[in-house]
Amino acid sequence: MEHQRRLPAGIMPDYYSQLPEFLRNYYGRWVWHKVPASGLVKHIADDGTECLSVRVQLPPAGFLSAETLRVLARLTRSYALVGRRTSRQGFEIVGVDPAKLNILLYKLKEEGFTVGGTGKSLHQLKGCTCYLHCQNAAIDAPSIMKVLADHFYDSILKDNYPARLKISVGGCPNQCGGGVEADIGILGIFQDYPEVDDKKIIETGTNIDFLISWCPVNAMKPKETASGLSVEIKQDLCVRCTSCVLATQEGIVMGQARGVAIAAGGRNGSLKKGSCLGRVVFPFVPAVPLDYEVLVKKVEAIVQCWSLCANPGERIGDLIERIGWEEFMAEVNPLPSW
C-alpha cells in the first residue's frame, strides 16, 4: 500500500495524516475480526497482530457539544490511538491498549456513555436532524430515535438477536436519514398535499419554469390567475416529497397532518446478497411528539416476528426473502386497534 503515502497534496485534508503510525504500518493488512463482547471489536492482521476498538453509542442525529467532544478526545488520548465517527453516527475508540480496557470502560460509563451495538445486537440508531435545522421535516426524528433506543436498550448491550439489527429514522420522504436502507426504517410522511399560495408565488416573482422542473414526477403545471402566473399541483401524481417546497422560499407549504410509515427488510453494506430497499409494513402511524407508544409497539411487533422466525444469521430482509412477504405480514399480525 505504498501508493497511499504518495497521494498528492490536493486541497482536501489527507485522511492519512490523521492515522497513528501503528495503523499506517498495517494499512491493508487486516484479514479478520472478532467481537469478544458487545461493543468490542478485535481486528486481526495477517501476522496475528490485534487492534482492539470500543464502540460507543452517541446521542441521536449526530450533534455533539464541545464538552462531549472534549471528553471523547481525552479518553481517546489516554487509552487508545485514535477515534473515528462511524457511518451510523456512533463513535469508535480505535487501538485501545488491552491493559487499559477495563479502566476505559469504567470511565466511559462514568461519563454516561453506553458501549455496545456490535455483532447480533441493536446497532447505533441513525437518523437525520429534522427540526433541528431542516425545513422539510414531517416528524421529530431525533426524539423518535431516543424513545426507540430507550425501549430496546438491553438489545444494544447483548448479542440476543439472530443477526445485527439496524433501525434508521428519516424525517421526510427524502430519507436523508437512511430509513429505506435499514432493517427497520421509520419514514416521516405528509398526509396532505402541498398547499400553494398563488399570491405569494406571484409577489415573490417565482420562476415558474424552474419551480416546475424540480418536481420529480411531473405533478406541477402552470396556472393562470387574474394576478399572474402560479402553479397547480396534480394530486393524482404528487408523492408529497417536498421538492416544490425546496424550490421556492415562499408560496408552497406542506400540511400539518403528518406521521410515519414503517418499512422492513432494507440493508446495505458489503453483504453477499447486496443492498436493497425496505418494504412498507405499516403505511401510516401517528407520530405526535412525544407520545410514540403506537410506533414503538409496531416496531416491537416486527422485531418479535424476526426474533422468533429467523434462522441464525438471518437479517429481517433475509427472513422475508425465505418465507415470503405474505407470510411475514401474517406473522407480524398488526392488530386492527393499532
Side-chain angles (χ1 to χ4, degrees):
M1 297 293 175
E2 184 64 28
H3 68 282
Q4 292 294 338
R5 297 167 187 166
R6 296 198 300 268
L7 282 172
I11 299 173
M12 297 299 292
D14 182 1
Y15 76 96
Y16 205 75
S17 66
Q18 303 294 310
L19 301 180
E21 184 177 359
F22 173 77
L23 290 182
R24 291 186 184 196
N25 291 339
Y26 279 91
Y27 191 102
R29 295 179 58 185
W30 304 102
V31 296
W32 192 242
H33 75 273
K34 298 178 180 177
V35 180
S38 184
L40 306 184
V41 182
K42 186 179 290 184
H43 296 274
I44 303 167
D46 52 8
D47 64 356
T49 298
E50 297 177 346
C51 177
L52 180 63
S53 298
V54 172
R55 188 169 297 175
V56 181
Q57 303 286 303
L58 294 183
F63 281 87
L64 294 176
S65 69
E67 289 305 315
T68 299
L69 289 169
R70 287 191 184 98
V71 171
L72 290 172
R74 173 167 50 82
L75 294 175
T76 301
R77 185 186 303 115
S78 300
Y79 302 103
L81 298 175
V82 71
R84 77 176 187 98
R85 290 298 303 272
T86 70
S87 61
R88 292 197 62 77
Q89 301 174 340
F91 189 79
E92 273 188 357
I93 301 176
V94 180
V96 175
D97 182 347
K100 299 179 179 178
L101 174 62
N102 288 337
I103 185 66
L104 171 61
L105 296 177
Y106 174 81
K107 292 288 185 182
L108 285 167
K109 185 176 181 180
E110 191 177 56
E111 294 287 354
F113 291 109
T114 293
V115 171
T118 53
K120 298 176 181 179
S121 67
L122 173 60
H123 289 216
Q124 167 90 41
L125 271 75
K126 175 184 168 185
C128 61
T129 59
C130 282
Y131 298 128
L132 293 173
H133 63 33
C134 177
Q135 72 275 26
N136 293 333
I139 55 161
D140 185 359
S143 296
I144 292 173
M145 293 159 64
K146 163 90 168 83
V147 169
L148 287 172
D150 284 345
H151 182 80
F152 291 100
Y153 183 77
D154 286 346
S155 299
I156 296 172
L157 309 177
K158 303 173 183 174
D159 280 4
N160 59 354
Y161 286 143
R164 72 189 69 175
L165 174 63
K166 296 181 178 179
I167 299 176
S168 297
V169 185
C172 79
N174 293 299
Q175 286 303 297
C176 302
V180 292
E181 62 188 27
D183 296 293
I184 297 176
I186 313 298
L187 324 174
I189 55 175
F190 296 93
Q191 273 193 305
D192 299 329
Y193 293 98
E195 300 167 359
V196 179
D197 185 328
D198 293 333
K199 184 179 178 182
K200 284 189 177 178
I201 290 283
I202 296 166
E203 286 181 350
T204 54
T206 301
N207 184 323
I208 299 300
D209 290 337
F210 174 77
L211 175 57
I212 290 175
S213 72
W214 268 57
C215 179
V217 293
N218 296 319
M220 301 182 76
K221 65 179 182 179
K223 182 179 75 174
E224 292 285 355
T225 75
S227 305
L229 194 60
S230 183
V231 294
E232 178 181 345
I233 294 176
K234 295 180 277 187
Q235 294 188 355
D236 58 328
L237 295 177
C238 178
V239 293
R240 290 164 282 189
C241 68
T242 74
S243 292
C244 55
V245 179
L246 280 173
T248 176
Q249 289 188 359
E250 295 183 79
I252 302 180
V253 296
M254 300 303 296
Q256 292 304 307
R258 304 162 181 204
V260 302
I262 301 178
R267 64 182 176 229
N268 63 9
S270 56
L271 301 170
K272 184 178 179 181
K273 295 181 179 179
S275 302
C276 68
L277 301 180
R279 189 170 172 179
V280 173
V281 179
F282 300 106
F284 183 81
V285 181
V288 181
L290 295 167
D291 179 12
Y292 298 122
E293 181 181 359
V294 176
L295 189 158
V296 170
K297 284 182 177 178
K298 290 185 179 297
V299 173
E300 179 72 51
I302 296 173
V303 173
Q304 286 188 6
C305 167
W306 171 58
S307 298
L308 291 171
C309 301
N311 292 327
E314 277 188 335
R315 293 177 66 172
I316 294 178
D318 300 324
L319 170 66
I320 295 172
E321 194 173 296
R322 178 169 59 81
I323 69 175
W325 181 253
E326 289 74 19
E327 186 172 341
F328 173 76
M329 290 293 283
E331 293 290 343
V332 170
N333 191 27
L335 301 177
S337 60
W338 290 4

